[in-house]
Amino acid sequence: MLIDIVKDVRDDLLRFDVCIVGSGPAGITLAREISRAELRVCLVESGAQKSQPEIQELNAGVVNSAHGYREETLREGRCRRFGGTANLWNHQIRGEPARYIRYVPLDEIDFESRDWVPESGWPFTHQAIVPFYERAQRICGINSFDCPEILETGTKNGRLWQTEKIESVLSQFGLAKIFLEHYRRELVLDQRVAVIVGATLLHFKIDPLSRVITSGQVSRPDGRKFWIRARAFVLAAGGLENARILLLQDDLQSGGLGNQHDMVGRCFMDHPQITLGTLIPFSSSLFGRAGLYDQHHVGEQTMMRILHIRPEVMRREKMLNLCGVLVPHFKTLRDNSPAILRQLIVRVPRLICRRLSWQHRSTPLDAPPRPFRQRLLEDYYAAGQCGWLKLTQPERRFDKFSIRSLVEQSPDRSNRVMLQDETDAFDQRKIKVLWRWNDLDRSSIRQAQQIFHQELSSAGIGTFVPLEETVGAQPRRFDSPHHFLGTTRMHDNPRNGVVDSDCRVHGVPNLFIAGSSVFPTGGYANPTFTIIALALRLATLLQSELQSKPLVKLRSEADQCYPQSGLAE
């Protein structure tokens, strides 16, 4: 059922088995799974069903970064609204209105303790999460990642690029509406789930002896406050907000909950999106034969191949993970003006205001601005816009590819989320983010450029020109894909992490965290698929723990655990 806290709540105390804070993909997945065990679930969302500027302003914060991490990222990369960041998913195929999200699982190497990556290693293996990846496929509406290559290569899309050091891996795309429409409707109709919108979590109460959280205080936009009592609480509010909520509880524990060793907010990571360089094909016919690296359909599923350095090469070269996405460049504006004009009309707000605006880019301090014409040609096909092979005669339209990359950052305790003195509309301290590249981050990028240069030429594909040879400056230009990772990292030793391998906050037995903030390392992959797999894993644990104990009767009648006023659907 859907509850608007402003209109529908009359009681000062609401009671449930599980309270989940945040209604993004992690929160939605948890609510759906836990309710199937006949448990009463509360899904608390700070925003409403539509975006509200005053609520979005709660995401504001400051950034201290000599390397160009933008303050706007804190606002742009988070959405206080039912569905959370699913509202921001923006992958599109040319000519189609639907919005997609890219799904890629983490690699086996991402779970390993790598001696060249400080703080690396997950508390469980890749094999332990595989069953949950398989379940996540069904939830996301995608197929197995073990897709036989013959299904793709049997089409006109060409052949896979495979070399000694570079492989082509599969990514899949799922529709945003699965979470924003289908699962929303399911939760609204589920009488065991209360989706409470317009409710911002402020504070927890904790039993001083057992260290169990007994209730959480939420506030309406007008300042009226309510208490939610539950047997278990899950923070699923995102990679930045999860850490902020813990830090704000410093009246319950010095430095915040789970912060007995000053780890909350540390090891903050993103997947900086950079241009590795330019690929100039040896033959223009390559543009018509590279369709596997554009979005394409295999049956009813949308897929796309991306370039990836083989794990054994990463181990040997002691480098971080990354991927390579092909982005074609038009030769001239004149030959392609109708297509570009149509795209500008559709995408003016983002393409002009964000991607083509020099002052809003993370840019090398000594690099000259690119002319408007060059920016238009290079940015027409961004990471979120595909379908270039739908154009006729691509070999006559394009002259080169950019190879754009999402790169892994190594865990670095100096990269962190902390609190500042300035407060928001609820008198809660805002966040301050410290971010920088470190030596391993930068050296791994240079190693990858050398590998692409050698391998693509040796394979007869084309000449790869690293970006530094044409622009050359530090700090490197990059964009944030808003993949906020690592701020409540998983580690069985509380000196090195905030949650244990069950995603339970150290020292607080009934407080759990879901989302990318628990990732010890992040690889290169979009984190959403792993977020959903981890949510399924956590839901299984909560079902087992809560069902093994007698259900606590917090009121005389079970149906009184919900507010008694009218409920919107």
Side-chain angles (χ1 to χ4, degrees):
M1 62 182 71
L2 181 64
I3 301 172
D4 187 329
I5 198 170
V6 176
K7 303 175 183 177
D8 302 325
V9 175
R10 300 293 180 265
D11 292 344
D12 290 331
L13 179 62
L14 310 176
R15 296 168 171 85
F16 302 90
D17 291 306
V18 181
C19 176
I20 303 166
V21 180
S23 70
I28 289 172
T29 301
L30 281 163
R32 294 179 70 242
E33 293 296 315
I34 295 172
S35 70
R36 292 174 180 173
E38 301 297 327
L39 296 169
R40 301 188 293 268
V41 181
C42 169
L43 189 59
V44 177
E45 171 54 50
S46 178
Q49 297 184 72
K50 296 182 179 180
S51 182
Q52 299 171 307
E54 65 276 13
I55 298 299
Q56 281 296 109
E57 188 60 24
L58 299 176
N59 292 333
V62 298
V63 173
N64 183 346
S65 174
H67 292 167
Y69 204 81
R70 297 191 301 119
E71 197 167 285
E72 291 86 350
T73 301
L74 308 185
R75 288 189 178 90
E76 296 170 355
R78 298 186 285 166
C79 185
R80 291 179 184 254
R81 178 181 174 186
F82 181 82
T85 54
N87 291 285
L88 305 179
W89 294 349
N90 62 357
H91 278 277
Q92 290 180 283
I93 301 178
R94 185 177 181 273
E96 297 184 15
R99 292 185 295 121
Y100 294 84
I101 177 69
R102 186 197 300 271
Y103 292 119
V104 189
L106 289 176
D107 295 329
E108 185 172 348
I109 192 173
D110 297 326
F111 292 83
E112 297 174 1
S113 179
R114 294 166 276 173
D115 58 12
W116 66 97
V117 183
E119 313 264 11
S120 63
W122 288 52
F124 50 81
T125 65
H126 176 266
Q127 193 61 34
I129 201 174
V130 166
F132 300 101
Y133 273 148
E134 293 172 352
R135 290 173 57 188
Q137 292 167 10
R138 296 189 293 272
I139 289 173
C140 298
I142 60 175
N143 295 333
S144 169
F145 283 88
D146 296 325
C147 175
E149 293 179 9
I150 188 64
L151 295 180
E152 295 178 277
T153 55
T155 71
K156 65 177 182 179
N157 289 320
R159 298 171 58 187
L160 293 177
W161 300 358
Q162 307 279 16
T163 74
E164 181 183 351
K165 296 183 179 180
I166 294 175
E167 60 183 349
S168 296
V169 299
L170 184 67
S171 65
Q172 300 190 59
F173 294 83
L175 289 166
K177 70 178 183 181
I178 291 176
F179 286 89
L180 297 178
E181 298 177 19
H182 298 172
Y183 294 155
R184 175 192 177 278
R185 188 179 307 115
E186 178 182 313
L187 291 176
V188 166
L189 295 175
D190 191 340
Q191 294 302 303
R192 296 161 298 192
V193 177
V195 180
I196 304 180
V197 297
T200 299
L201 177 69
L202 302 181
H203 189 66
F204 284 125
K205 276 185 180 179
I206 196 167
D207 182 276
L209 296 179
S210 66
R211 302 297 295 168
V212 167
I213 292 177
T214 58
S215 56
Q217 186 184 54
V218 300
S219 177
R220 301 189 330 187
D222 63 6
R224 184 180 173 187
K225 298 176 176 61
F226 300 83
W227 288 95
I228 297 175
R229 187 172 180 179
R231 297 164 60 191
F233 289 83
V234 182
L235 299 183
L240 299 177
E241 196 68 13
N242 284 344
R244 182 192 182 206
I245 291 171
L246 293 180
L247 292 170
L248 285 169
Q249 313 305 312
D250 54 357
D251 60 329
L252 302 178
Q253 179 176 321
S254 178
L257 288 177
N259 203 26
Q260 48 268 50
H261 297 288
D262 193 28
M263 284 302 298
V264 175
R266 290 193 182 273
C267 298
F268 170 57
M269 301 170 286
D270 202 335
H271 287 141
Q273 180 178 290
I274 66 169
T275 299
L276 279 180
T278 301
L279 173 63
I280 304 171
F282 289 146
S283 170
S284 61
S285 65
L286 185 70
F287 294 105
R289 294 185 287 106
L292 295 176
Y293 301 90
D294 188 14
Q295 282 184 331
H296 59 279
H297 295 288
V298 176
E300 297 182 355
Q301 183 58 47
T302 305
M303 299 182 174
M304 179 176 173
R305 289 282 174 170
I306 53 182
L307 300 176
H308 181 244
I309 295 175
R310 295 183 184 275
E312 59 270 23
V313 177
M314 286 188 274
R315 293 186 185 97
R316 184 171 64 247
E317 301 293 333
K318 296 189 179 300
M319 58 185 294
L320 296 168
N321 209 341
L322 54 73
C323 69
V325 176
L326 297 184
V327 181
H329 288 201
F330 283 123
K331 290 181 181 179
T332 66
L333 283 175
R334 179 183 304 171
D335 292 340
N336 301 282
S337 54
I340 291 178
L341 180 60
R342 285 195 300 271
Q343 195 65 2
L344 284 175
I345 292 173
V346 172
R347 304 176 68 211
V348 161
R350 184 160 64 95
L351 191 61
I352 296 294
C353 297
R354 291 179 55 191
R355 299 197 61 82
L356 302 184
S357 175
W358 173 256
Q359 61 268 30
H360 288 104
R361 297 295 301 270
S362 301
T363 306
L365 300 178
D366 57 350
R370 294 176 297 159
F372 180 84
R373 175 181 176 277
Q374 181 184 355
R375 282 181 272 153
L376 190 59
L377 285 171
E378 293 181 359
D379 291 340
Y380 176 68
Y381 282 106
Q385 180 72 18
C386 301
W388 40 270
L389 266 188
K390 288 190 174 183
L391 298 173
T392 59
Q393 298 181 311
E395 66 279 358
R396 298 183 62 178
R397 295 176 182 269
F398 304 122
D399 62 352
K400 57 187 175 182
F401 290 105
S402 280
I403 295 185
R404 295 190 183 172
S405 181
L406 293 180
V407 301
E408 178 182 16
Q409 277 193 278
S410 58
D412 185 334
R413 295 194 184 200
S414 66
N415 287 341
R416 64 185 301 191
V417 174
M418 53 198 304
L419 298 179
Q420 56 167 311
D421 292 333
E422 185 178 346
T423 59
D424 63 18
F426 292 104
D427 201 32
Q428 303 282 312
R429 284 167 290 171
K430 299 179 180 180
I431 62 171
K432 178 180 181 179
V433 172
L434 308 182
W435 189 93
R436 69 182 180 96
W437 296 104
N438 66 29
D439 291 341
L440 180 58
D441 299 338
R442 289 189 248 192
S443 65
S444 294
I445 293 170
R446 290 192 290 268
Q447 289 171 287
Q449 290 174 318
Q450 294 173 3
I451 291 170
F452 275 85
H453 175 74
Q454 296 166 358
E455 294 293 295
L456 295 180
S457 177
S458 299
I461 295 170
T463 300
F464 177 79
V465 182
L467 179 64
E468 283 77 4
E469 293 184 25
T470 57
V471 176
Q474 290 290 348
R476 171 185 303 277
R477 178 188 291 134
F478 70 93
D479 290 311
S480 167
H482 312 138
H483 298 170
F484 307 128
L485 315 167
T487 58
T488 63
R489 67 195 316 263
M490 212 188 306
H491 201 286
D492 282 332
N493 186 337
R495 293 185 178 276
N496 298 314
V498 178
V499 301
D500 63 16
S501 58
D502 291 331
C503 294
R504 191 192 317 262
V505 174
H506 286 297
V508 188
N510 69 331
L511 179 60
F512 301 82
I513 296 183
S516 57
S517 66
V518 305
F519 288 21
T521 54
Y524 73 86
N526 182 313
T528 305
F529 190 56
T530 302
I531 287 172
I532 293 169
L534 288 177
L536 290 168
R537 183 174 180 269
L538 177 55
T540 301
L541 172 75
L542 289 171
Q543 289 171 342
S544 175
E545 289 199 357
L546 295 176
Q547 286 182 316
S548 66
K549 302 173 184 177
L551 191 63
V552 177
K553 292 293 185 180
L554 299 174
R555 288 193 179 185
S556 58
E557 295 295 330
D559 62 357
Q560 288 183 323
C561 68
Y562 297 115
Q564 297 303 299
S565 55
L567 302 176
E569 292 191 2

